[in-house]
Amino acid sequence: MSDGKKYIYDFSEGDASMRILLGGKGANLAQMWKIGLPVPPGFIITTEVCHKYWEDKATLRKIWTDIESAIARVEKLTDKEFGGKKNPLLVSVRSGAPVSMPGMMDTILNLGLNDETVAALAEASNDERFAYDSYRRFIQMFSDVVLEVEHDKFEEALKKAKESAGVSEDHQLSAEALKKLVAEYKNIVGATGKEFPTDPWVQLELAIDAVFRSWNTPRAITYRKINNIPGDYGTAVNVVSMVYGNLGNNCGTGVCFTRSPSTGENKLFGEYLINAQGEDVVAGIRTPVPISSLAQEMPEVYEEFCRIAKLLEDHYKDSQDIEFTVERGKLYILQTRNGKRTANAAVNIAVDMVDEGLISPQTAVTRVTPEQVEQLLHPQVDPKVKYESLAKGLPASPGAAVGKVVFDADEASECGEKGEKIILVRPETTPDDIHGLFAAQGVLTSHGGMTSHAAVVARGLGKPCVSGAETIKINLKAETFTVGGITVKKGDYLTLNGNTGDVVLGEMPLVAPEFTEKFRRLLEMADKESKLEVWANGDTPDDAKRARAFGAKGIGLCRTEHMFMAPERLPVMQEMVIASTTEDRIVQLNKLQQMQEEDFLGIFEAMDGLPVTVRLLDPPLHEFLPKVPELEKILKDLDPDCDMAKKIRKEISRAIELHEFNPMLGFRGCRLGIIYPEIYEMQIKAIFNAACGLKKRGLNPVPDIMIPLVSTKEEMKRLRAMVEKIAEETFVRENCRVEYLVGTMVELPRACMVADQLAEYAQFFSFGTNDLTQTTFGFSRDDAEGKFLANYVELGILPTNPFAVLDRDGVGELMKIAVKGGKATSPQIQLGICGEHGGEPSSVAFCHHIGLTYVSCSPFRVPVARLSAAHAALGLLQ
Amino acid sequence: MSDGKKYIYDFSEGDASMRILLGGKGANLAQMWKIGLPVPPGFIITTEVCHKYWEDKATLRKIWTDIESAIARVEKLTDKEFGGKKNPLLVSVRSGAPVSMPGMMDTILNLGLNDETVAALAEASNDERFAYDSYRRFIQMFSDVVLEVEHDKFEEALKKAKESAGVSEDHQLSAEALKKLVAEYKNIVGATGKEFPTDPWVQLELAIDAVFRSWNTPRAITYRKINNIPGDYGTAVNVVSMVYGNLGNNCGTGVCFTRSPSTGENKLFGEYLINAQGEDVVAGIRTPVPISSLAQEMPEVYEEFCRIAKLLEDHYKDSQDIEFTVERGKLYILQTRNGKRTANAAVNIAVDMVDEGLISPQTAVTRVTPEQVEQLLHPQVDPKVKYESLAKGLPASPGAAVGKVVFDADEASECGEKGEKIILVRPETTPDDIHGLFAAQGVLTSHGGMTSHAAVVARGLGKPCVSGAETIKINLKAETFTVGGITVKKGDYLTLNGNTGDVVLGEMPLVAPEFTEKFRRLLEMADKESKLEVWANGDTPDDAKRARAFGAKGIGLCRTEHMFMAPERLPVMQEMVIASTTEDRIVQLNKLQQMQEEDFLGIFEAMDGLPVTVRLLDPPLHEFLPKVPELEKILKDLDPDCDMAKKIRKEISRAIELHEFNPMLGFRGCRLGIIYPEIYEMQIKAIFNAACGLKKRGLNPVPDIMIPLVSTKEEMKRLRAMVEKIAEETFVRENCRVEYLVGTMVELPRACMVADQLAEYAQFFSFGTNDLTQTTFGFSRDDAEGKFLANYVELGILPTNPFAVLDRDGVGELMKIAVKGGKATSPQIQLGICGEHGGEPSSVAFCHHIGLTYVSCSPFRVPVARLSAAHAALGLLQ
């Protein structure tokens, strides 16, 4: 063109920084050229030409002489001639936008072939079959992409050719058959009234025009809209000389990872075929040999390849997945990209590269995703094994489990004690099944969602769970289940894949989880980047130890109600619940206080020096009583005057009195503490007694008291005063002081709205996003998941299950109001989250962005949360 | 003082505008003087003196000559002498801040008495007993207020004096006995080491000093803090000459209303006693005579009084309550204030005064309170009758009811059909009792709160209800209840006072409600002031007619589920619920559609030309099925193969499937419409069929479709599309169009947070504050009220029941977010409220202040809401 601008760049003229002008692919090819890699010669038509093309379709003509010059330079470099009758130059023509838009436009290979050049190619390759096969493919590809001839017609012709030749595979067609097919293909094009261009220059012009045209197809426009890609970027066009690995025994082609994609080991890991082309490696007809063999077969090429592999790793600072071709003894690098890898390999490569000085710890942290961390924490079905699944449910708790089918929780518990590996199969589980869940390797339910009882408990225990496998019909009496005509009996082996929801008959091989030294180091690097601390939820000393081992910096939620559910304690708790006077209640509470003290001693000791956030009693009291029909059943067989019968009648009457229509919104949380202050007083005494006991033994307990379900300032004010009074009394009596905070679980919309008021008395907020999600949406988790929530996600009414991924528009906005209110009153207020969202990457990122102090999650998810927090701080997770 | 400022104002020197300087009382006395009323002469020491007094206690001394001059002027005007031995001037000394602070400081009367002046008073009054009684009282009052001598000691001495005189009442003490008591009183003062001042000038100085001192008592400071009164106001001091109505037969005293406080009739309404003092009228020992008699007894005084009464009404533009005294033939006005009056009188006086041109319609509107309007709408226990209450419950629904006790809803219904007046007494009520509630005059429950089923239904029906009368023990079998040892049987008469919660044995006389022409006019005046429209909630044509009669400008909530509860419809509804396929469901829905159309025809016709907001089906489907135990009971007695048994088994299985742990947060509202679109489609068809039918008959139906329980934009988008599709189909088929809107009930916190998104598809928001309160607080109404909410209000944790009075800090703030979001997307969006709060004055005011378009409430509360809306617009309700 006459404007003096440069519209064509040879590879030697660009680099990776010129992505906008040259497109991603072009800039990258130029960069490889720049660092001295043997990339096949070629050139790039810039994105500016694309802009001009859309203003004026004659643009291409105007720069045609520049294109001719560029081709001439490629001819010179390759010593081939475009359209030449001896050693013809063939090229590929590809699009290349500044941002990758995969699948937007097909590639045209082998451009430059016609009846004359194909003969030359046959001669040069000494392989007529190869030449005509290339020709056939070119016609098909060009006609489809450029001439817009229906693809099916070519496929049909190819099918017929194979039938008449009596062969089943494309590559079995002889040169003669392919020649006939080429003629047939030309007829197909001719029949459409279009003309297949034989002049390579015309082919080139039409191909480039087609690439530009493709920028504004409806498909491309939609793709850009969805992915927020500016429409004025335009696409560049890459014209690259073809190289072939199948022109003789001094040729070959292969793929190679610079480090093991499976273990991360720092060693070339690849394979190749002599005298073959790329698709032969993929097709699996010939068996490729390991890259190491290349050292014998082509020692110089091997040495060169090793040098290049090292160069690419050094350049891209990451393990590479390289495609290469050797044409007549000359090595060409066709592509390099960051290599895909297993979770384990990702961790090892990242940490190794830090040790090698190749990348910074910060970069290492970005090289592993939270999802990969999740994989590392559970046994997995060996990824090399292929299986057929019997049924599919929801992937409710990750990891894989193998065991014998058991249908009863008691039996599961017995088998577990004997050391048998079992899978508990139930229509759904209840708190009564907890011992069975505990003993099982994994659990399968036919009903219930991602947050059903089974799912929540399994995730808490770190056990795999497949829930809601609705196609399974369980017959509890017969102790069998049937699905798709197959009946599975008690004792049959079953494998659960909690990552995918697959239920597999038989024992699949599992791969053990690895919490390696390198993994530990990676997480420490992550912690250095994070603004958020990661704490864990845990109710027992075992939970606390595990949390600490996984790197938790505190306990963010220690639920006290589980402590009363133990078989020896429940009767005392029940006596407390049915007590008709405060005095009677206090007698029972005194017994419970002893037990609570022991619990707290264990937990505080395990978390020595770190905060333990104890939530005072939360569930409604009726949850501790048996159900009325059960009680009535027992009563029927008793002498009505015996003490037992009297007690049961009292329980029934109290259960009826305490019955609630919506227990979720009922007489629970701090409402209990306000109306029956003696209950909370008991718990607070137990906490401070335990803390002072340890303090005197030289330990450093840090108890934080969390008041649940607060909705008004007055609740917080009264209960904080209660805590302070008892703490002070204990400190004076024990002659010993411990540091503590009093705060609240923010789990009601009103708490968010009046957070400024609550912060007058609360020293910390911990967002209870499980309940907050329930009340914000008006979704009862117990009901919604079974009834409509799955449908809602399927229909696109909700993007995800808001109990799994925090709902930012609703729940998140409320949290922001609470954060703002809390900080306005008390700028130093400690802010955390202790709902299940605390271990989910996107939710952790949200917590980071709104400025929380910590997230607290199940101990098993602590590593996931640690990495997520780092990724959020590094801007990788929004 | 030497600063030249004026610190003392005679009454002749001030007016009502000088409230800050002269205090409220002083400014008012001066004003009365100014308009020529015969006020006893006196003067005011300004609030500025109070300020100076607190800087320098010697201030009073510095202005003492001014005070002496002021007293001298009063002496001149009264022709009496302060401390004089013939005709002594006695004065009252009273505080008077710019804002009334009742009870902050006692009044000192009769100041100026001592052993000499008392004798002069005895002579002047010719009543030694009167003079010494005045003296005794003065010593007691002065010692208490100024000298801070314990009040009890004087009372004890008085008691002893009566004992030794052998009399029981103060006024029976003789002059001699009073003389002795005066001596005894002086001893009491002397015993404290304090001296009772005999010099009137010293008395005056100490009294004034005491008034100033009282400004900064802890009691006064606290009072100001609570009532937001600036501490730097200070108090003025009023010194007024005493006048007496008991100095002979040309004296008298009385009180008079310028209009009837009972009916509002424009006629003097008062009474007086000749030769008496104020407290004699109050004490009721002598019977006062009607004010009209004064025309005979003292015609000139009467004429003068009539003139003054008219003058005061004209001046204060309101009916006055006047205290007057005639001393030796001269009329003195001691006080005037706006007269208290009944609700009925308030309405009549206000409207009459508009007609008389005395006040503007706007002022008339301010003269009646929403609480008074409430009284007007229900029969009341005759306020003249005194009764003893048998028990006290919650005043759950206003008005009074008399009837025979019945314990069974069916029996109540039968009695009602026979025209008997009955009171339904139940432990609590359920939807099964609705026919009984409907037939009863009123309902009494021993359990349940202000928003229990009984309370809500009773308010909806406009029937009195006393709920939660916990002291009542009901024996349903014996058909009796007992309370405080008294047993009430079926058939006994009972009176309920729903305004107070009183339960009274026997038939109390009731006063009928009046919806008079004047009341109607007052409400029309109110409407002119309002920014808010008032709509009504109503589900039937009868509701709609009543709403319209009460002035509703639309139906803000027409619940469709009640339509399915009718005995002939419920079985069809149940068949729909248990249908196992969409096809089966549609068969039943088609039947229901016919019925729905009829319902809508009736309601749209009654509301012709006004909007009717129809809420699509809201409750969970299981609410339409009988309870499982009931079904099992029926099943037991059936042949297991009969059709009935099969149906019941299906119902049981469906009821179990649909069972929810927290139905409030379950599968209801628009979630039903999304998962079972055929249900909403049926309802929408019925609405538009009915509307088109009426339109073709020349009427103007305005159906607005309200989608319940929306929490996401997608729900609103899909359901609006559903409405529009069906509307359009109907319009085309019927060749007829009607105006309609599609909107949503905003009743979930998330809906508030994403209101900007919802407004893309919702043409109106109607705040469902009942449910919004439940989810914001996490309070299940069914559970909270019986279990802890009453305690919460009692303990001061909540100021009021948030289901009765809208919670501004939590629910209100969410509403503001929704209003802001809605208007941001759609500035013209229609905004209303349809929760029960729509009829509660403070909540209506809040709705006004946040800029809603309308409030919708029970038809019976429409007048209350209309007046509340006007008061809010006029700034009387914040």
Side-chain angles (χ1 to χ4, degrees), chain A residues 661 665 671 715 750 777-778 780 792 807, chain B residues 665 671 715 750 777-778 780 783 792 807:
Chain A
F661 297 101
L665 307 176
R671 298 161 195 174
E715 289 168 331
R750 194 175 195 275
F777 273 96
S780 161
Y792 259 43
D807 159 54
Chain B
L665 307 176
R671 299 160 195 175
E715 290 168 330
R750 193 174 195 277
F777 273 96
S780 162
D783 302 312
Y792 260 42
D807 159 54

PDB file of all heavy atoms in Angstrom, chain A residues 661 665 671 715 750 777-778 780 792 807, chain B residues 665 671 715 750 777-778 780 783 792 807:
ATOM      1  N   PHE A 661     -42.940 -25.526  63.727  1.00  0.00           N
ATOM      2  CA  PHE A 661     -43.316 -25.680  62.331  1.00  0.00           C
ATOM      3  C   PHE A 661     -42.099 -25.460  61.429  1.00  0.00           C
ATOM      4  O   PHE A 661     -41.949 -26.096  60.408  1.00  0.00           O
ATOM      5  CB  PHE A 661     -44.424 -24.692  61.967  1.00  0.00           C
ATOM      6  CG  PHE A 661     -45.687 -24.936  62.726  1.00  0.00           C
ATOM      7  CD1 PHE A 661     -46.025 -24.155  63.826  1.00  0.00           C
ATOM      8  CD2 PHE A 661     -46.529 -25.984  62.375  1.00  0.00           C
ATOM      9  CE1 PHE A 661     -47.182 -24.396  64.539  1.00  0.00           C
ATOM     10  CE2 PHE A 661     -47.683 -26.227  63.072  1.00  0.00           C
ATOM     11  CZ  PHE A 661     -48.015 -25.433  64.170  1.00  0.00           C
ATOM     12  N   LEU A 665     -36.165 -21.502  61.872  1.00  0.00           N
ATOM     13  CA  LEU A 665     -36.453 -20.110  62.228  1.00  0.00           C
ATOM     14  C   LEU A 665     -37.044 -20.028  63.629  1.00  0.00           C
ATOM     15  O   LEU A 665     -37.821 -19.135  63.934  1.00  0.00           O
ATOM     16  CB  LEU A 665     -37.460 -19.514  61.239  1.00  0.00           C
ATOM     17  CG  LEU A 665     -37.126 -19.619  59.749  1.00  0.00           C
ATOM     18  CD1 LEU A 665     -38.282 -19.052  58.927  1.00  0.00           C
ATOM     19  CD2 LEU A 665     -35.852 -18.861  59.420  1.00  0.00           C
ATOM     20  N   ARG A 671     -31.336 -17.231  71.319  1.00  0.00           N
ATOM     21  CA  ARG A 671     -32.670 -17.117  71.932  1.00  0.00           C
ATOM     22  C   ARG A 671     -32.779 -18.053  73.130  1.00  0.00           C
ATOM     23  O   ARG A 671     -33.416 -17.730  74.122  1.00  0.00           O
ATOM     24  CB  ARG A 671     -33.734 -17.434  70.882  1.00  0.00           C
ATOM     25  CG  ARG A 671     -33.682 -16.440  69.728  1.00  0.00           C
ATOM     26  CD  ARG A 671     -34.363 -16.912  68.447  1.00  0.00           C
ATOM     27  NE  ARG A 671     -33.944 -16.059  67.330  1.00  0.00           N
ATOM     28  CZ  ARG A 671     -34.264 -16.266  66.067  1.00  0.00           C
ATOM     29  NH1 ARG A 671     -35.019 -17.315  65.741  1.00  0.00           N
ATOM     30  NH2 ARG A 671     -33.840 -15.457  65.131  1.00  0.00           N
ATOM     31  N   GLU A 715     -29.426  -8.541  72.343  1.00  0.00           N
ATOM     32  CA  GLU A 715     -28.988  -9.922  72.584  1.00  0.00           C
ATOM     33  C   GLU A 715     -27.479  -9.942  72.821  1.00  0.00           C
ATOM     34  O   GLU A 715     -26.980 -10.537  73.769  1.00  0.00           O
ATOM     35  CB  GLU A 715     -29.327 -10.804  71.373  1.00  0.00           C
ATOM     36  CG  GLU A 715     -30.809 -11.077  71.193  1.00  0.00           C
ATOM     37  CD  GLU A 715     -31.141 -11.693  69.827  1.00  0.00           C
ATOM     38  OE1 GLU A 715     -30.409 -11.417  68.841  1.00  0.00           O
ATOM     39  OE2 GLU A 715     -32.124 -12.426  69.724  1.00  0.00           O
ATOM     40  N   ARG A 750     -30.870  -9.730  59.205  1.00  0.00           N
ATOM     41  CA  ARG A 750     -30.957  -8.571  60.103  1.00  0.00           C
ATOM     42  C   ARG A 750     -29.622  -8.285  60.770  1.00  0.00           C
ATOM     43  O   ARG A 750     -29.266  -7.132  61.003  1.00  0.00           O
ATOM     44  CB  ARG A 750     -32.039  -8.759  61.164  1.00  0.00           C
ATOM     45  CG  ARG A 750     -32.348  -7.427  61.861  1.00  0.00           C
ATOM     46  CD  ARG A 750     -33.491  -7.516  62.843  1.00  0.00           C
ATOM     47  NE  ARG A 750     -33.972  -6.208  63.201  1.00  0.00           N
ATOM     48  CZ  ARG A 750     -33.449  -5.445  64.154  1.00  0.00           C
ATOM     49  NH1 ARG A 750     -32.420  -5.890  64.835  1.00  0.00           N
ATOM     50  NH2 ARG A 750     -33.950  -4.260  64.414  1.00  0.00           N
ATOM     51  N   PHE A 777     -32.243 -16.400  50.821  1.00  0.00           N
ATOM     52  CA  PHE A 777     -33.028 -16.925  49.693  1.00  0.00           C
ATOM     53  C   PHE A 777     -34.411 -17.407  50.125  1.00  0.00           C
ATOM     54  O   PHE A 777     -35.278 -17.613  49.290  1.00  0.00           O
ATOM     55  CB  PHE A 777     -32.313 -18.141  49.086  1.00  0.00           C
ATOM     56  CG  PHE A 777     -31.293 -17.816  48.026  1.00  0.00           C
ATOM     57  CD1 PHE A 777     -29.953 -17.717  48.355  1.00  0.00           C
ATOM     58  CD2 PHE A 777     -31.677 -17.628  46.724  1.00  0.00           C
ATOM     59  CE1 PHE A 777     -29.004 -17.438  47.386  1.00  0.00           C
ATOM     60  CE2 PHE A 777     -30.736 -17.352  45.741  1.00  0.00           C
ATOM     61  CZ  PHE A 777     -29.393 -17.256  46.072  1.00  0.00           C
ATOM     62  N   GLY A 778     -34.588 -17.654  51.440  1.00  0.00           N
ATOM     63  CA  GLY A 778     -35.784 -18.371  51.854  1.00  0.00           C
ATOM     64  C   GLY A 778     -35.735 -19.808  51.368  1.00  0.00           C
ATOM     65  O   GLY A 778     -36.742 -20.364  50.937  1.00  0.00           O
ATOM     66  N   SER A 780     -34.891 -23.528  52.621  1.00  0.00           N
ATOM     67  CA  SER A 780     -34.514 -24.491  53.645  1.00  0.00           C
ATOM     68  C   SER A 780     -33.640 -25.528  52.960  1.00  0.00           C
ATOM     69  O   SER A 780     -34.063 -26.197  52.022  1.00  0.00           O
ATOM     70  CB  SER A 780     -35.759 -25.163  54.223  1.00  0.00           C
ATOM     71  OG  SER A 780     -35.399 -26.357  54.860  1.00  0.00           O
ATOM     72  N   TYR A 792     -33.391 -25.882  39.565  1.00  0.00           N
ATOM     73  CA  TYR A 792     -33.096 -24.461  39.396  1.00  0.00           C
ATOM     74  C   TYR A 792     -31.736 -24.273  38.713  1.00  0.00           C
ATOM     75  O   TYR A 792     -31.578 -23.398  37.867  1.00  0.00           O
ATOM     76  CB  TYR A 792     -33.112 -23.762  40.764  1.00  0.00           C
ATOM     77  CG  TYR A 792     -34.391 -23.011  41.029  1.00  0.00           C
ATOM     78  CD1 TYR A 792     -35.627 -23.572  40.708  1.00  0.00           C
ATOM     79  CD2 TYR A 792     -34.387 -21.744  41.594  1.00  0.00           C
ATOM     80  CE1 TYR A 792     -36.799 -22.886  40.941  1.00  0.00           C
ATOM     81  CE2 TYR A 792     -35.562 -21.044  41.833  1.00  0.00           C
ATOM     82  CZ  TYR A 792     -36.763 -21.619  41.501  1.00  0.00           C
ATOM     83  OH  TYR A 792     -37.920 -20.931  41.722  1.00  0.00           O
ATOM     84  N   ASP A 807     -23.362 -17.031  47.033  1.00  0.00           N
ATOM     85  CA  ASP A 807     -24.144 -16.165  46.151  1.00  0.00           C
ATOM     86  C   ASP A 807     -23.729 -14.720  46.384  1.00  0.00           C
ATOM     87  O   ASP A 807     -24.061 -14.125  47.399  1.00  0.00           O
ATOM     88  CB  ASP A 807     -25.631 -16.351  46.483  1.00  0.00           C
ATOM     89  CG  ASP A 807     -26.473 -15.175  46.025  1.00  0.00           C
ATOM     90  OD1 ASP A 807     -26.397 -14.830  44.831  1.00  0.00           O
ATOM     91  OD2 ASP A 807     -27.197 -14.592  46.854  1.00  0.00           O
TER      92      ASP A 807
ATOM     93  N   LEU B 665     -39.671 -22.105  54.279  1.00  0.00           N
ATOM     94  CA  LEU B 665     -38.517 -21.875  53.396  1.00  0.00           C
ATOM     95  C   LEU B 665     -38.460 -22.948  52.314  1.00  0.00           C
ATOM     96  O   LEU B 665     -37.390 -23.297  51.836  1.00  0.00           O
ATOM     97  CB  LEU B 665     -37.213 -21.915  54.213  1.00  0.00           C
ATOM     98  CG  LEU B 665     -37.126 -21.024  55.435  1.00  0.00           C
ATOM     99  CD1 LEU B 665     -35.811 -21.261  56.175  1.00  0.00           C
ATOM    100  CD2 LEU B 665     -37.234 -19.559  55.051  1.00  0.00           C
ATOM    101  N   ARG B 671     -41.573 -20.936  43.059  1.00  0.00           N
ATOM    102  CA  ARG B 671     -40.850 -22.185  42.811  1.00  0.00           C
ATOM    103  C   ARG B 671     -41.805 -23.244  42.255  1.00  0.00           C
ATOM    104  O   ARG B 671     -41.420 -24.059  41.422  1.00  0.00           O
ATOM    105  CB  ARG B 671     -40.201 -22.660  44.110  1.00  0.00           C
ATOM    106  CG  ARG B 671     -39.201 -21.643  44.630  1.00  0.00           C
ATOM    107  CD  ARG B 671     -38.861 -21.780  46.095  1.00  0.00           C
ATOM    108  NE  ARG B 671     -38.188 -20.554  46.545  1.00  0.00           N
ATOM    109  CZ  ARG B 671     -37.833 -20.287  47.789  1.00  0.00           C
ATOM    110  NH1 ARG B 671     -38.080 -21.170  48.749  1.00  0.00           N
ATOM    111  NH2 ARG B 671     -37.240 -19.155  48.094  1.00  0.00           N
ATOM    112  N   GLU B 715     -36.307 -16.115  37.680  1.00  0.00           N
ATOM    113  CA  GLU B 715     -37.689 -16.497  38.003  1.00  0.00           C
ATOM    114  C   GLU B 715     -38.649 -15.468  37.434  1.00  0.00           C
ATOM    115  O   GLU B 715     -39.646 -15.795  36.779  1.00  0.00           O
ATOM    116  CB  GLU B 715     -37.862 -16.578  39.525  1.00  0.00           C
ATOM    117  CG  GLU B 715     -37.150 -17.743  40.175  1.00  0.00           C
ATOM    118  CD  GLU B 715     -37.094 -17.637  41.707  1.00  0.00           C
ATOM    119  OE1 GLU B 715     -37.063 -16.496  42.238  1.00  0.00           O
ATOM    120  OE2 GLU B 715     -37.061 -18.677  42.375  1.00  0.00           O
ATOM    121  N   ARG B 750     -33.109 -11.621  49.749  1.00  0.00           N
ATOM    122  CA  ARG B 750     -32.391 -11.592  48.474  1.00  0.00           C
ATOM    123  C   ARG B 750     -33.117 -10.748  47.425  1.00  0.00           C
ATOM    124  O   ARG B 750     -32.500 -10.064  46.615  1.00  0.00           O
ATOM    125  CB  ARG B 750     -32.150 -12.993  47.929  1.00  0.00           C
ATOM    126  CG  ARG B 750     -31.135 -12.963  46.778  1.00  0.00           C
ATOM    127  CD  ARG B 750     -30.751 -14.330  46.307  1.00  0.00           C
ATOM    128  NE  ARG B 750     -29.562 -14.284  45.487  1.00  0.00           N
ATOM    129  CZ  ARG B 750     -29.542 -13.991  44.198  1.00  0.00           C
ATOM    130  NH1 ARG B 750     -30.674 -13.711  43.567  1.00  0.00           N
ATOM    131  NH2 ARG B 750     -28.414 -13.972  43.533  1.00  0.00           N
ATOM    132  N   PHE B 777     -35.316 -11.686  60.318  1.00  0.00           N
ATOM    133  CA  PHE B 777     -34.983 -11.993  61.712  1.00  0.00           C
ATOM    134  C   PHE B 777     -34.640 -13.469  61.905  1.00  0.00           C
ATOM    135  O   PHE B 777     -34.085 -13.843  62.926  1.00  0.00           O
ATOM    136  CB  PHE B 777     -36.178 -11.692  62.618  1.00  0.00           C
ATOM    137  CG  PHE B 777     -36.278 -10.284  63.108  1.00  0.00           C
ATOM    138  CD1 PHE B 777     -37.069  -9.357  62.457  1.00  0.00           C
ATOM    139  CD2 PHE B 777     -35.586  -9.878  64.238  1.00  0.00           C
ATOM    140  CE1 PHE B 777     -37.182  -8.056  62.925  1.00  0.00           C
ATOM    141  CE2 PHE B 777     -35.692  -8.579  64.712  1.00  0.00           C
ATOM    142  CZ  PHE B 777     -36.495  -7.669  64.053  1.00  0.00           C
ATOM    143  N   GLY B 778     -35.061 -14.321  60.947  1.00  0.00           N
ATOM    144  CA  GLY B 778     -35.010 -15.746  61.228  1.00  0.00           C
ATOM    145  C   GLY B 778     -36.019 -16.123  62.303  1.00  0.00           C
ATOM    146  O   GLY B 778     -35.734 -16.932  63.165  1.00  0.00           O
ATOM    147  N   SER B 780     -39.672 -17.705  62.761  1.00  0.00           N
ATOM    148  CA  SER B 780     -40.891 -18.317  62.241  1.00  0.00           C
ATOM    149  C   SER B 780     -42.027 -17.780  63.093  1.00  0.00           C
ATOM    150  O   SER B 780     -42.052 -17.952  64.301  1.00  0.00           O
ATOM    151  CB  SER B 780     -40.816 -19.830  62.374  1.00  0.00           C
ATOM    152  OG  SER B 780     -42.108 -20.377  62.278  1.00  0.00           O
ATOM    153  N   ASP B 783     -43.854 -20.092  65.327  1.00  0.00           N
ATOM    154  CA  ASP B 783     -43.124 -20.624  66.467  1.00  0.00           C
ATOM    155  C   ASP B 783     -42.699 -19.518  67.439  1.00  0.00           C
ATOM    156  O   ASP B 783     -42.826 -19.657  68.648  1.00  0.00           O
ATOM    157  CB  ASP B 783     -41.872 -21.365  65.975  1.00  0.00           C
ATOM    158  CG  ASP B 783     -42.236 -22.485  65.008  1.00  0.00           C
ATOM    159  OD1 ASP B 783     -43.151 -23.256  65.328  1.00  0.00           O
ATOM    160  OD2 ASP B 783     -41.624 -22.564  63.935  1.00  0.00           O
ATOM    161  N   TYR B 792     -39.128 -11.503  74.595  1.00  0.00           N
ATOM    162  CA  TYR B 792     -38.181 -10.565  74.006  1.00  0.00           C
ATOM    163  C   TYR B 792     -38.665  -9.123  74.166  1.00  0.00           C
ATOM    164  O   TYR B 792     -37.887  -8.229  74.454  1.00  0.00           O
ATOM    165  CB  TYR B 792     -37.969 -10.898  72.523  1.00  0.00           C
ATOM    166  CG  TYR B 792     -36.691 -11.677  72.253  1.00  0.00           C
ATOM    167  CD1 TYR B 792     -36.318 -12.717  73.096  1.00  0.00           C
ATOM    168  CD2 TYR B 792     -35.861 -11.362  71.191  1.00  0.00           C
ATOM    169  CE1 TYR B 792     -35.149 -13.421  72.863  1.00  0.00           C
ATOM    170  CE2 TYR B 792     -34.694 -12.064  70.952  1.00  0.00           C
ATOM    171  CZ  TYR B 792     -34.334 -13.091  71.789  1.00  0.00           C
ATOM    172  OH  TYR B 792     -33.181 -13.778  71.576  1.00  0.00           O
ATOM    173  N   ASP B 807     -40.136  -3.363  61.626  1.00  0.00           N
ATOM    174  CA  ASP B 807     -38.778  -3.181  62.163  1.00  0.00           C
ATOM    175  C   ASP B 807     -37.980  -2.336  61.188  1.00  0.00           C
ATOM    176  O   ASP B 807     -37.575  -2.816  60.134  1.00  0.00           O
ATOM    177  CB  ASP B 807     -38.137  -4.563  62.341  1.00  0.00           C
ATOM    178  CG  ASP B 807     -36.614  -4.473  62.403  1.00  0.00           C
ATOM    179  OD1 ASP B 807     -36.116  -3.702  63.236  1.00  0.00           O
ATOM    180  OD2 ASP B 807     -35.951  -5.169  61.609  1.00  0.00           O
TER     181      ASP B 807
END
